[in-house]
Amino acid sequence: MLWGRRVVRWALDRFVHNVRDSRTITSAVLKRQEFKLDPCASLRSSTMHWESLQQGPFIAASALVFAALVVALAPRAGLERADAFSLFGLSGVFGVFFARVFWWCAQWLTASPPEFSSLYSMTGGFASVGALMGCALAWGLMFGGASTERRYAVLDLFVPAGLVALAVARLGCLARGCDFGVPAGGPLAVTYSQPATPAVSELLMRGELAPGQQVSLAPLALYLSCVSIAAVAIAILVSSRWRKPGRCAMLAALLYVVGRAFVESFRHPASAPMLGEMNLNQWVMMFLSFSIMLTWFVWERKRA
């Protein structure tokens, strides 16, 4: 596993570098007072102001949470902590690479034919798909020759930990305003005002917001975070009665995609193209739910 440890060392160096960059950017922004940081804004108003925060620290925190959960719970999955950390590092390398490739492809696709221009707001989603493919490739390379039960046990470790980390990363989406919901009010609504915020820029382009106006939207990213945590909690409670590996991972993934399909109904049409009565993400979640159920059925048939 020497190559895996070298990959981990390189990944940690890049991670520390990115965290330092995020702190430098955050300090520079606050010194220039481009955003107003007011911790008591949510107490004096009916909405919360998130634009003073940055997305980078949330992504860094999600990576730390993922690594901590994987390393701490590795022995329960019959995996050595060094191997678990090596898989984490290798997944990070492949995940970042494929995420960047998919992001470039999405940028090229949305910039060429006009019929694909509506997909521009989903370039981050394409990058997420690339990251998942990279993680799957790392899992296959490290455990492709292992026994079936061992591969399933690794999934029981990585899928719930990944969903918890995703819940933390979603808060960064809430801060940036890239995943935004329909107009809403109340104590949970988020307010965006800066033109550079994706939510504001998209609504300005659609003519739904006048220059200089604020907009209060449903906290879609917060809802998605709750779906991730709930899926993991329910899967762990239910699968504790199941002794066979792999069921916790499959149930957590299935609950997440089904829950997200419902929560996506709060998404603003500007952040995802509509295909009929549902947006593209909802159609994708329906396809993934069917794929997960089919895969689960095939797995159980092979075990029988």
mmCIF file of all heavy atoms in Angstrom, residues 170-218:
data_model
loop_
_atom_site.group_PDB
_atom_site.id
_atom_site.type_symbol
_atom_site.label_atom_id
_atom_site.label_comp_id
_atom_site.label_asym_id
_atom_site.label_seq_id
_atom_site.Cartn_x
_atom_site.Cartn_y
_atom_site.Cartn_z
ATOM 1 N N ARG A 170 -23.270 20.672 1.520
ATOM 2 C CA ARG A 170 -24.466 21.371 1.045
ATOM 3 C C ARG A 170 -24.624 22.735 1.704
ATOM 4 O O ARG A 170 -25.213 23.650 1.113
ATOM 5 C CB ARG A 170 -25.709 20.528 1.325
ATOM 6 C CG ARG A 170 -25.900 19.368 0.379
ATOM 7 C CD ARG A 170 -26.287 19.845 -0.997
ATOM 8 N NE ARG A 170 -26.516 18.741 -1.914
ATOM 9 C CZ ARG A 170 -26.680 18.895 -3.215
ATOM 10 N NH1 ARG A 170 -26.653 20.102 -3.743
ATOM 11 N NH2 ARG A 170 -26.878 17.860 -3.999
ATOM 12 N N LEU A 171 -24.118 22.886 2.919
ATOM 13 C CA LEU A 171 -24.187 24.190 3.571
ATOM 14 C C LEU A 171 -23.366 25.224 2.816
ATOM 15 O O LEU A 171 -23.684 26.415 2.835
ATOM 16 C CB LEU A 171 -23.701 24.071 5.022
ATOM 17 C CG LEU A 171 -24.532 23.135 5.920
ATOM 18 C CD1 LEU A 171 -23.938 23.094 7.317
ATOM 19 C CD2 LEU A 171 -25.984 23.577 5.963
ATOM 20 N N GLY A 172 -22.302 24.758 2.148
ATOM 21 C CA GLY A 172 -21.544 25.659 1.286
ATOM 22 C C GLY A 172 -22.352 26.113 0.090
ATOM 23 O O GLY A 172 -22.249 27.256 -0.358
ATOM 24 N N CYS A 173 -23.181 25.201 -0.452
ATOM 25 C CA CYS A 173 -24.086 25.581 -1.544
ATOM 26 C C CYS A 173 -25.097 26.605 -1.062
ATOM 27 O O CYS A 173 -25.480 27.520 -1.805
ATOM 28 C CB CYS A 173 -24.804 24.346 -2.083
ATOM 29 S SG CYS A 173 -23.721 23.075 -2.770
ATOM 30 N N LEU A 174 -25.542 26.457 0.184
ATOM 31 C CA LEU A 174 -26.465 27.434 0.748
ATOM 32 C C LEU A 174 -25.798 28.796 0.884
ATOM 33 O O LEU A 174 -26.413 29.836 0.622
ATOM 34 C CB LEU A 174 -26.960 26.943 2.110
ATOM 35 C CG LEU A 174 -28.040 27.769 2.792
ATOM 36 C CD1 LEU A 174 -29.347 27.671 2.020
ATOM 37 C CD2 LEU A 174 -28.253 27.304 4.228
ATOM 38 N N ALA A 175 -24.527 28.797 1.278
ATOM 39 C CA ALA A 175 -23.806 30.053 1.428
ATOM 40 C C ALA A 175 -23.546 30.722 0.081
ATOM 41 O O ALA A 175 -23.668 31.949 -0.049
ATOM 42 C CB ALA A 175 -22.483 29.805 2.157
ATOM 43 N N ARG A 176 -23.208 29.931 -0.917
ATOM 44 C CA ARG A 176 -22.902 30.494 -2.239
ATOM 45 C C ARG A 176 -24.156 30.876 -3.007
ATOM 46 O O ARG A 176 -24.142 31.774 -3.835
ATOM 47 C CB ARG A 176 -22.076 29.492 -3.043
ATOM 48 C CG ARG A 176 -21.606 30.026 -4.387
ATOM 49 C CD ARG A 176 -20.610 29.093 -5.035
ATOM 50 N NE ARG A 176 -20.178 29.618 -6.322
ATOM 51 C CZ ARG A 176 -20.681 29.238 -7.490
ATOM 52 N NH1 ARG A 176 -21.643 28.325 -7.525
ATOM 53 N NH2 ARG A 176 -20.243 29.751 -8.621
ATOM 54 N N GLY A 177 -25.250 30.159 -2.758
ATOM 55 C CA GLY A 177 -26.479 30.448 -3.478
ATOM 56 C C GLY A 177 -26.578 29.760 -4.815
ATOM 57 O O GLY A 177 -27.305 30.225 -5.697
ATOM 58 N N CYS A 178 -25.881 28.638 -4.979
ATOM 59 C CA CYS A 178 -25.922 27.937 -6.264
ATOM 60 C C CYS A 178 -27.073 26.943 -6.335
ATOM 61 O O CYS A 178 -27.562 26.627 -7.416
ATOM 62 C CB CYS A 178 -24.593 27.232 -6.531
ATOM 63 S SG CYS A 178 -24.017 26.189 -5.180
ATOM 64 N N ASP A 179 -27.501 26.399 -5.196
ATOM 65 C CA ASP A 179 -28.692 25.554 -5.118
ATOM 66 C C ASP A 179 -29.755 26.345 -4.370
ATOM 67 O O ASP A 179 -29.730 26.423 -3.136
ATOM 68 C CB ASP A 179 -28.387 24.236 -4.383
ATOM 69 C CG ASP A 179 -27.780 23.199 -5.304
ATOM 70 O OD1 ASP A 179 -27.973 23.315 -6.527
ATOM 71 O OD2 ASP A 179 -27.117 22.279 -4.807
ATOM 72 N N PHE A 180 -30.679 26.929 -5.091
ATOM 73 C CA PHE A 180 -31.656 27.800 -4.427
ATOM 74 C C PHE A 180 -33.070 27.356 -4.760
ATOM 75 O O PHE A 180 -33.342 26.768 -5.807
ATOM 76 C CB PHE A 180 -31.447 29.264 -4.819
ATOM 77 C CG PHE A 180 -31.421 29.533 -6.293
ATOM 78 C CD1 PHE A 180 -32.561 29.922 -6.964
ATOM 79 C CD2 PHE A 180 -30.242 29.398 -7.019
ATOM 80 C CE1 PHE A 180 -32.538 30.178 -8.322
ATOM 81 C CE2 PHE A 180 -30.204 29.647 -8.385
ATOM 82 C CZ PHE A 180 -31.362 30.038 -9.035
ATOM 83 N N GLY A 181 -33.966 27.645 -3.822
ATOM 84 C CA GLY A 181 -35.340 27.214 -3.951
ATOM 85 C C GLY A 181 -36.247 28.309 -4.468
ATOM 86 O O GLY A 181 -35.804 29.370 -4.931
ATOM 87 N N VAL A 182 -37.528 28.040 -4.379
ATOM 88 C CA VAL A 182 -38.541 28.992 -4.842
ATOM 89 C C VAL A 182 -38.649 30.140 -3.835
ATOM 90 O O VAL A 182 -38.202 30.019 -2.691
ATOM 91 C CB VAL A 182 -39.900 28.274 -4.985
ATOM 92 C CG1 VAL A 182 -39.827 27.226 -6.073
ATOM 93 C CG2 VAL A 182 -40.320 27.635 -3.657
ATOM 94 N N PRO A 183 -39.218 31.276 -4.238
ATOM 95 C CA PRO A 183 -39.400 32.390 -3.290
ATOM 96 C C PRO A 183 -40.197 31.956 -2.065
ATOM 97 O O PRO A 183 -41.204 31.252 -2.176
ATOM 98 C CB PRO A 183 -40.158 33.430 -4.119
ATOM 99 C CG PRO A 183 -39.782 33.128 -5.528
ATOM 100 C CD PRO A 183 -39.629 31.643 -5.611
ATOM 101 N N ALA A 184 -39.724 32.344 -0.896
ATOM 102 C CA ALA A 184 -40.364 31.942 0.355
ATOM 103 C C ALA A 184 -40.027 32.963 1.432
ATOM 104 O O ALA A 184 -39.115 33.784 1.286
ATOM 105 C CB ALA A 184 -39.913 30.545 0.774
ATOM 106 N N GLY A 185 -40.767 32.927 2.504
ATOM 107 C CA GLY A 185 -40.514 33.762 3.666
ATOM 108 C C GLY A 185 -40.418 32.910 4.907
ATOM 109 O O GLY A 185 -40.371 31.679 4.836
ATOM 110 N N GLY A 186 -40.392 33.548 6.058
ATOM 111 C CA GLY A 186 -40.311 32.813 7.302
ATOM 112 C C GLY A 186 -38.909 32.737 7.866
ATOM 113 O O GLY A 186 -37.948 33.230 7.253
ATOM 114 N N PRO A 187 -38.763 32.113 9.023
ATOM 115 C CA PRO A 187 -37.454 32.103 9.700
ATOM 116 C C PRO A 187 -36.387 31.282 8.997
ATOM 117 O O PRO A 187 -35.196 31.493 9.226
ATOM 118 C CB PRO A 187 -37.780 31.505 11.082
ATOM 119 C CG PRO A 187 -39.024 30.716 10.865
ATOM 120 C CD PRO A 187 -39.802 31.449 9.824
ATOM 121 N N LEU A 188 -36.768 30.334 8.151
ATOM 122 C CA LEU A 188 -35.773 29.500 7.477
ATOM 123 C C LEU A 188 -35.388 30.023 6.102
ATOM 124 O O LEU A 188 -34.457 29.502 5.483
ATOM 125 C CB LEU A 188 -36.293 28.062 7.340
ATOM 126 C CG LEU A 188 -36.396 27.247 8.631
ATOM 127 C CD1 LEU A 188 -36.921 25.854 8.333
ATOM 128 C CD2 LEU A 188 -35.043 27.163 9.330
ATOM 129 N N ALA A 189 -36.080 31.010 5.594
ATOM 130 C CA ALA A 189 -35.771 31.536 4.262
ATOM 131 C C ALA A 189 -34.400 32.210 4.266
ATOM 132 O O ALA A 189 -33.965 32.766 5.270
ATOM 133 C CB ALA A 189 -36.845 32.525 3.821
ATOM 134 N N VAL A 190 -33.704 32.126 3.148
ATOM 135 C CA VAL A 190 -32.385 32.750 3.010
ATOM 136 C C VAL A 190 -32.511 33.943 2.071
ATOM 137 O O VAL A 190 -33.259 33.901 1.085
ATOM 138 C CB VAL A 190 -31.347 31.746 2.467
ATOM 139 C CG1 VAL A 190 -31.000 30.731 3.522
ATOM 140 C CG2 VAL A 190 -31.850 31.054 1.224
ATOM 141 N N THR A 191 -31.775 34.998 2.385
ATOM 142 C CA THR A 191 -31.821 36.234 1.603
ATOM 143 C C THR A 191 -30.502 36.429 0.882
ATOM 144 O O THR A 191 -29.436 36.354 1.498
ATOM 145 C CB THR A 191 -32.099 37.438 2.510
ATOM 146 O OG1 THR A 191 -33.394 37.273 3.095
ATOM 147 C CG2 THR A 191 -32.078 38.739 1.718
ATOM 148 N N TYR A 192 -30.563 36.696 -0.412
ATOM 149 C CA TYR A 192 -29.395 36.990 -1.227
ATOM 150 C C TYR A 192 -29.586 38.367 -1.862
ATOM 151 O O TYR A 192 -30.700 38.728 -2.272
ATOM 152 C CB TYR A 192 -29.211 35.947 -2.331
ATOM 153 C CG TYR A 192 -29.030 34.540 -1.825
ATOM 154 C CD1 TYR A 192 -30.053 33.601 -1.958
ATOM 155 C CD2 TYR A 192 -27.842 34.148 -1.220
ATOM 156 C CE1 TYR A 192 -29.895 32.304 -1.495
ATOM 157 C CE2 TYR A 192 -27.677 32.863 -0.763
ATOM 158 C CZ TYR A 192 -28.701 31.941 -0.895
ATOM 159 O OH TYR A 192 -28.539 30.660 -0.434
ATOM 160 N N SER A 193 -28.483 39.119 -1.948
ATOM 161 C CA SER A 193 -28.566 40.466 -2.509
ATOM 162 C C SER A 193 -27.426 40.800 -3.455
ATOM 163 O O SER A 193 -27.563 41.698 -4.283
ATOM 164 C CB SER A 193 -28.599 41.509 -1.382
ATOM 165 O OG SER A 193 -27.433 41.404 -0.582
ATOM 166 N N GLN A 194 -26.282 40.101 -3.340
ATOM 167 C CA GLN A 194 -25.126 40.431 -4.163
ATOM 168 C C GLN A 194 -25.327 39.940 -5.598
ATOM 169 O O GLN A 194 -25.722 38.791 -5.815
ATOM 170 C CB GLN A 194 -23.858 39.812 -3.575
ATOM 171 C CG GLN A 194 -23.521 40.307 -2.184
ATOM 172 C CD GLN A 194 -23.188 41.784 -2.167
ATOM 173 O OE1 GLN A 194 -22.658 42.307 -3.144
ATOM 174 N NE2 GLN A 194 -23.496 42.465 -1.080
ATOM 175 N N PRO A 195 -25.061 40.774 -6.597
ATOM 176 C CA PRO A 195 -25.246 40.355 -7.999
ATOM 177 C C PRO A 195 -24.379 39.168 -8.403
ATOM 178 O O PRO A 195 -24.732 38.444 -9.337
ATOM 179 C CB PRO A 195 -24.867 41.609 -8.793
ATOM 180 C CG PRO A 195 -25.032 42.741 -7.835
ATOM 181 C CD PRO A 195 -24.682 42.195 -6.487
ATOM 182 N N ALA A 196 -23.238 38.978 -7.711
ATOM 183 C CA ALA A 196 -22.361 37.858 -8.053
ATOM 184 C C ALA A 196 -22.903 36.525 -7.566
ATOM 185 O O ALA A 196 -22.419 35.468 -7.991
ATOM 186 C CB ALA A 196 -20.961 38.083 -7.470
ATOM 187 N N THR A 197 -23.887 36.542 -6.676
ATOM 188 C CA THR A 197 -24.477 35.298 -6.194
ATOM 189 C C THR A 197 -25.246 34.629 -7.326
ATOM 190 O O THR A 197 -26.030 35.287 -8.013
ATOM 191 C CB THR A 197 -25.425 35.592 -5.018
ATOM 192 O OG1 THR A 197 -24.713 36.293 -3.998
ATOM 193 C CG2 THR A 197 -25.975 34.295 -4.442
ATOM 194 N N PRO A 198 -25.031 33.321 -7.563
ATOM 195 C CA PRO A 198 -25.743 32.657 -8.665
ATOM 196 C C PRO A 198 -27.256 32.821 -8.603
ATOM 197 O O PRO A 198 -27.904 32.981 -9.643
ATOM 198 C CB PRO A 198 -25.330 31.190 -8.505
ATOM 199 C CG PRO A 198 -23.988 31.257 -7.853
ATOM 200 C CD PRO A 198 -24.053 32.426 -6.926
ATOM 201 N N ALA A 199 -27.831 32.783 -7.410
ATOM 202 C CA ALA A 199 -29.284 32.937 -7.303
ATOM 203 C C ALA A 199 -29.734 34.299 -7.812
ATOM 204 O O ALA A 199 -30.706 34.410 -8.576
ATOM 205 C CB ALA A 199 -29.723 32.741 -5.847
ATOM 206 N N VAL A 200 -29.015 35.342 -7.420
ATOM 207 C CA VAL A 200 -29.392 36.693 -7.842
ATOM 208 C C VAL A 200 -29.148 36.878 -9.333
ATOM 209 O O VAL A 200 -29.991 37.432 -10.052
ATOM 210 C CB VAL A 200 -28.611 37.741 -7.027
ATOM 211 C CG1 VAL A 200 -28.918 39.156 -7.515
ATOM 212 C CG2 VAL A 200 -28.961 37.624 -5.541
ATOM 213 N N SER A 201 -27.999 36.422 -9.829
ATOM 214 C CA SER A 201 -27.677 36.615 -11.243
ATOM 215 C C SER A 201 -28.671 35.873 -12.142
ATOM 216 O O SER A 201 -29.095 36.400 -13.178
ATOM 217 C CB SER A 201 -26.250 36.146 -11.525
ATOM 218 O OG SER A 201 -26.104 34.764 -11.243
ATOM 219 N N GLU A 202 -29.063 34.650 -11.750
ATOM 220 C CA GLU A 202 -30.028 33.893 -12.555
ATOM 221 C C GLU A 202 -31.387 34.585 -12.579
ATOM 222 O O GLU A 202 -32.034 34.681 -13.626
ATOM 223 C CB GLU A 202 -30.173 32.474 -12.001
ATOM 224 C CG GLU A 202 -28.959 31.585 -12.213
ATOM 225 C CD GLU A 202 -28.797 31.167 -13.668
ATOM 226 O OE1 GLU A 202 -29.779 31.242 -14.425
ATOM 227 O OE2 GLU A 202 -27.682 30.772 -14.045
ATOM 228 N N LEU A 203 -31.828 35.083 -11.434
ATOM 229 C CA LEU A 203 -33.129 35.741 -11.379
ATOM 230 C C LEU A 203 -33.103 37.081 -12.104
ATOM 231 O O LEU A 203 -34.113 37.501 -12.686
ATOM 232 C CB LEU A 203 -33.558 35.921 -9.925
ATOM 233 C CG LEU A 203 -33.816 34.627 -9.146
ATOM 234 C CD1 LEU A 203 -34.246 34.930 -7.719
ATOM 235 C CD2 LEU A 203 -34.866 33.774 -9.844
ATOM 236 N N LEU A 204 -31.952 37.753 -12.084
ATOM 237 C CA LEU A 204 -31.833 39.002 -12.849
ATOM 238 C C LEU A 204 -31.926 38.730 -14.343
ATOM 239 O O LEU A 204 -32.575 39.480 -15.087
ATOM 240 C CB LEU A 204 -30.505 39.696 -12.510
ATOM 241 C CG LEU A 204 -30.418 40.411 -11.160
ATOM 242 C CD1 LEU A 204 -28.997 40.905 -10.920
ATOM 243 C CD2 LEU A 204 -31.400 41.574 -11.093
ATOM 244 N N MET A 205 -31.284 37.659 -14.796
ATOM 245 C CA MET A 205 -31.332 37.319 -16.217
ATOM 246 C C MET A 205 -32.742 36.936 -16.655
ATOM 247 O O MET A 205 -33.143 37.225 -17.784
ATOM 248 C CB MET A 205 -30.363 36.166 -16.512
ATOM 249 C CG MET A 205 -28.903 36.536 -16.393
ATOM 250 S SD MET A 205 -27.813 35.115 -16.648
ATOM 251 C CE MET A 205 -28.314 34.603 -18.290
ATOM 252 N N ARG A 206 -33.495 36.320 -15.773
ATOM 253 C CA ARG A 206 -34.860 35.910 -16.104
ATOM 254 C C ARG A 206 -35.872 37.041 -15.936
ATOM 255 O O ARG A 206 -37.049 36.872 -16.265
ATOM 256 C CB ARG A 206 -35.277 34.735 -15.215
ATOM 257 C CG ARG A 206 -34.505 33.454 -15.489
ATOM 258 C CD ARG A 206 -34.749 32.435 -14.386
ATOM 259 N NE ARG A 206 -36.156 32.032 -14.307
ATOM 260 C CZ ARG A 206 -36.669 30.956 -14.892
ATOM 261 N NH1 ARG A 206 -35.872 30.174 -15.615
ATOM 262 N NH2 ARG A 206 -37.933 30.652 -14.767
ATOM 263 N N GLY A 207 -35.410 38.188 -15.425
ATOM 264 C CA GLY A 207 -36.313 39.309 -15.226
ATOM 265 C C GLY A 207 -37.234 39.178 -14.028
ATOM 266 O O GLY A 207 -38.205 39.923 -13.901
ATOM 267 N N GLU A 208 -36.933 38.243 -13.132
ATOM 268 C CA GLU A 208 -37.752 38.043 -11.949
ATOM 269 C C GLU A 208 -37.289 38.881 -10.769
ATOM 270 O O GLU A 208 -37.901 38.840 -9.698
ATOM 271 C CB GLU A 208 -37.753 36.562 -11.554
ATOM 272 C CG GLU A 208 -38.308 35.645 -12.623
ATOM 273 C CD GLU A 208 -38.308 34.187 -12.195
ATOM 274 O OE1 GLU A 208 -38.149 33.934 -10.982
ATOM 275 O OE2 GLU A 208 -38.470 33.300 -13.067
ATOM 276 N N LEU A 209 -36.199 39.609 -10.956
ATOM 277 C CA LEU A 209 -35.647 40.422 -9.884
ATOM 278 C C LEU A 209 -35.089 41.700 -10.478
ATOM 279 O O LEU A 209 -34.407 41.664 -11.504
ATOM 280 C CB LEU A 209 -34.543 39.647 -9.140
ATOM 281 C CG LEU A 209 -33.977 40.271 -7.873
ATOM 282 C CD1 LEU A 209 -35.036 40.319 -6.783
ATOM 283 C CD2 LEU A 209 -32.757 39.487 -7.390
ATOM 284 N N ALA A 210 -35.384 42.820 -9.853
ATOM 285 C CA ALA A 210 -34.876 44.113 -10.307
ATOM 286 C C ALA A 210 -33.491 44.359 -9.720
ATOM 287 O O ALA A 210 -33.183 43.879 -8.621
ATOM 288 C CB ALA A 210 -35.829 45.232 -9.898
ATOM 289 N N PRO A 211 -32.613 45.087 -10.434
ATOM 290 C CA PRO A 211 -31.277 45.384 -9.899
ATOM 291 C C PRO A 211 -31.362 46.105 -8.558
ATOM 292 O O PRO A 211 -32.153 47.023 -8.378
ATOM 293 C CB PRO A 211 -30.662 46.282 -10.977
ATOM 294 C CG PRO A 211 -31.397 45.933 -12.229
ATOM 295 C CD PRO A 211 -32.794 45.606 -11.809
ATOM 296 N N GLY A 212 -30.533 45.648 -7.619
ATOM 297 C CA GLY A 212 -30.509 46.243 -6.291
ATOM 298 C C GLY A 212 -31.493 45.632 -5.315
ATOM 299 O O GLY A 212 -31.452 45.946 -4.123
ATOM 300 N N GLN A 213 -32.349 44.743 -5.775
ATOM 301 C CA GLN A 213 -33.325 44.112 -4.896
ATOM 302 C C GLN A 213 -32.742 42.886 -4.210
ATOM 303 O O GLN A 213 -31.841 42.232 -4.725
ATOM 304 C CB GLN A 213 -34.575 43.694 -5.676
ATOM 305 C CG GLN A 213 -35.617 44.775 -5.835
ATOM 306 C CD GLN A 213 -36.902 44.218 -6.432
ATOM 307 O OE1 GLN A 213 -36.887 43.265 -7.213
ATOM 308 N NE2 GLN A 213 -38.027 44.813 -6.079
ATOM 309 N N GLN A 214 -33.277 42.586 -3.018
ATOM 310 C CA GLN A 214 -32.963 41.336 -2.346
ATOM 311 C C GLN A 214 -34.013 40.288 -2.695
ATOM 312 O O GLN A 214 -35.108 40.612 -3.136
ATOM 313 C CB GLN A 214 -32.938 41.535 -0.830
ATOM 314 C CG GLN A 214 -31.824 42.426 -0.328
ATOM 315 C CD GLN A 214 -31.807 42.511 1.182
ATOM 316 O OE1 GLN A 214 -32.762 42.110 1.844
ATOM 317 N NE2 GLN A 214 -30.727 43.023 1.735
ATOM 318 N N VAL A 215 -33.654 39.034 -2.507
ATOM 319 C CA VAL A 215 -34.592 37.962 -2.784
ATOM 320 C C VAL A 215 -34.527 36.956 -1.635
ATOM 321 O O VAL A 215 -33.448 36.600 -1.155
ATOM 322 C CB VAL A 215 -34.270 37.272 -4.131
ATOM 323 C CG1 VAL A 215 -32.859 36.697 -4.146
ATOM 324 C CG2 VAL A 215 -35.292 36.192 -4.436
ATOM 325 N N SER A 216 -35.672 36.540 -1.147
ATOM 326 C CA SER A 216 -35.788 35.543 -0.080
ATOM 327 C C SER A 216 -36.283 34.243 -0.694
ATOM 328 O O SER A 216 -37.344 34.211 -1.323
ATOM 329 C CB SER A 216 -36.758 36.017 1.005
ATOM 330 O OG SER A 216 -36.266 37.183 1.635
ATOM 331 N N LEU A 217 -35.502 33.185 -0.498
ATOM 332 C CA LEU A 217 -35.779 31.907 -1.148
ATOM 333 C C LEU A 217 -35.815 30.780 -0.125
ATOM 334 O O LEU A 217 -35.260 30.896 0.974
ATOM 335 C CB LEU A 217 -34.704 31.611 -2.199
ATOM 336 C CG LEU A 217 -34.485 32.669 -3.280
ATOM 337 C CD1 LEU A 217 -33.263 32.330 -4.109
ATOM 338 C CD2 LEU A 217 -35.724 32.789 -4.171
ATOM 339 N N ALA A 218 -36.461 29.711 -0.512
ATOM 340 C CA ALA A 218 -36.488 28.517 0.333
ATOM 341 C C ALA A 218 -35.084 27.913 0.418
ATOM 342 O O ALA A 218 -34.375 27.858 -0.595
ATOM 343 C CB ALA A 218 -37.469 27.487 -0.232
#
